[in-house]
Amino acid sequence: MKLVILDRRSLGNDVDVSVFNKFGEVISYDLTKENETLERVKDADIVITNKVLITKEHMDNSKMKLICITATGTNNVDLVYAKEKNIPVKNVAGYSSSSVAQVAFSMIFHFVTKLNYYKNYVDKGNWQKSELFTHIDAPFFELDGKRVGVIGLGDIGRNFAKKASAFGCEVVYYSTSGKNSNSEYKRVELDELLKTSDIISIHCPLNEDTKDLLNYENMKTIKDGAILLNLGRGGIINEADLAKIIDEKEIYCGIDVVSVEPIKESNPLLKVKNKEQLLLTPHIGWASIEARTKLISLVAKNIEDFIS
């Protein structure tokens, strides 16, 4: 059995992937460019990929028997053709829920508590020069009683909602599929969620129904001073519209995902003037050490299940 890992570096060098050795010969590539994929998968029985595309051409010109995705999203594999070819495609879900929720709250606290401002105040030597024991020129507020709107109440959305409730927030949610009827939290329509929430956090998949779900017209209705987070998928928020909104009104945004990753120089979010209102991170939400370790073990379980 021959296993090929196409983008090992995306998993981080601090996690161990030796568990795959028990299944056979493992060939690992840090990165794989589009024009290198075919040559690298042609003799593989099992292909392990995070974001490298696996297309009809790759399946037709290889002996692959199983495709393992080291992520939840499956849009990098031609699923329809894989089904036609009887090649199972196995992803991993639920491994990163705590990690994503924790990064989301890190973003919230970045904006709410103004710790960057207060750290800089002390680092610049201002506190020791002060005549007053305290310095509170950057007002901050508590989360207790704030309304948190969750867009997409799947596994990650529920984890985030649970943590928001622990901070005393009122949680409401919008079901992008229209099928979720969670009795723990109030379900509302998107317009109401955007207009009434103090914090909005996106945790839904990207599909035909959610592409550009947030656009200029509906983001105009978001409350001044509100915090908008996207740790779901790039493309759910129209990025040109978001950049325009950030420069027009007081809205604070934590964005961990963009439509094309790594981010393009031309992405409008890199050109916003009100930079203090935007926190951009390079798709880190999924990637705590614990989450990546769990991810590897679940991929190994998928391979074990396939072999048995």
Side-chain angles (χ1 to χ4, degrees):
M1 189 80 72
K2 183 175 180 179
L3 295 80
V4 173
I5 305 174
L6 292 175
D7 43 4
R8 167 69 179 85
R9 207 166 93 191
S10 69
L11 301 173
N13 293 326
D14 55 339
V15 296
D16 183 11
V17 297
S18 62
V19 66
F20 298 133
N21 294 336
K22 66 182 179 181
F23 302 117
E25 178 191 4
V26 178
I27 298 176
S28 181
Y29 299 99
D30 277 352
L31 294 169
T32 297
K33 296 178 182 176
E34 187 176 349
N35 61 355
E36 297 172 330
T37 306
L38 186 55
E39 179 64 27
R40 292 180 175 182
V41 304
K42 67 179 184 179
D43 296 321
D45 298 291
I46 298 173
V47 175
I48 300 173
T49 176
N50 189 329
K51 293 293 182 284
V52 177
L53 296 179
I54 304 296
T55 67
K56 176 181 184 292
E57 180 188 14
H58 303 134
M59 294 181 229
D60 281 343
N61 294 281
S62 72
K63 61 176 187 177
M64 67 176 74
K65 301 177 180 68
L66 173 68
I67 301 168
C68 285
I69 303 175
T70 57
T72 302
T74 58
N75 55 315
N76 59 318
V77 176
D78 187 336
L79 298 177
V80 174
Y81 195 68
K83 188 173 183 180
E84 286 182 24
K85 293 279 286 187
N86 199 29
I87 300 173
V89 179
K90 299 292 185 182
N91 66 333
V92 179
Y95 69 95
S96 65
S97 299
S98 290
S99 181
V100 174
Q102 180 172 303
V103 172
F105 270 92
S106 298
M107 290 177 161
I108 291 169
F109 292 132
H110 170 83
F111 290 121
V112 168
T113 317
K114 312 287 175 52
L115 289 184
N116 273 5
Y117 170 85
Y118 289 113
K119 174 176 166 51
N120 288 334
Y121 173 82
V122 175
D123 287 350
K124 291 177 181 178
N126 292 315
W127 196 14
Q128 56 263 47
K129 298 172 187 174
S130 176
E131 296 178 341
L132 195 64
F133 80 96
T134 188
H135 174 81
I136 50 174
D137 285 12
F140 59 93
F141 59 84
E142 298 177 0
L143 293 181
D144 290 54
K146 299 298 184 292
R147 173 174 270 207
V148 173
V150 184
I151 298 176
L153 203 68
D155 193 67
I156 294 174
R158 289 194 304 274
N159 191 300
F160 174 81
K162 182 179 178 181
K163 289 176 169 62
S165 295
F167 278 103
C169 300
E170 175 203 2
V171 176
V172 299
Y173 76 97
Y174 169 68
S175 172
T176 57
S177 68
K179 299 174 182 176
N180 196 323
S181 297
N182 188 294
S183 59
E184 293 179 83
Y185 311 107
K186 181 182 178 182
R187 177 173 160 178
V188 298
E189 293 305 312
L190 181 62
D191 287 349
E192 179 183 342
L193 185 147
L194 295 178
K195 289 175 183 176
T196 64
S197 296
D198 301 290
I199 297 168
I200 300 160
S201 198
I202 297 172
H203 300 289
C204 63
L206 176 65
N207 53 41
E208 290 181 3
D209 294 328
T210 61
K211 181 171 172 52
D212 293 335
L213 182 69
L214 270 63
N215 52 57
Y216 184 76
E217 288 306 314
N218 60 26
M219 284 190 290
K220 280 197 304 187
T221 69
I222 294 175
K223 296 165 63 173
D224 283 342
I227 296 170
L228 170 64
L229 309 176
N230 187 8
L231 292 95
R233 283 289 182 267
I236 296 171
I237 302 178
N238 182 294
E239 290 162 357
D241 290 354
L242 178 60
K244 187 176 180 183
I245 286 287
I246 291 172
D247 282 337
E248 287 183 357
K249 64 182 296 181
E250 186 192 2
I251 174 177
Y252 298 91
C253 301
I255 305 295
D256 187 49
V257 289
V258 292
S259 54
V260 178
E261 296 173 345
I263 195 167
K264 296 285 189 183
E265 289 285 352
S266 58
N267 191 300
L269 293 176
L270 294 177
K271 299 173 175 61
V272 299
K273 298 184 181 71
N274 295 332
K275 294 187 182 300
E276 73 284 353
Q277 292 174 213
L278 176 63
L279 173 60
L280 271 175
T281 52
H283 203 146
I284 64 170
W286 67 283
S288 70
I289 293 172
E290 292 86 353
R292 286 180 288 123
T293 300
K294 186 176 182 182
L295 168 65
I296 297 300
S297 68
L298 290 172
V299 173
K301 178 70 164 53
N302 283 338
I303 296 173
E304 282 179 355
D305 290 346
F306 169 76
I307 292 173
S308 62

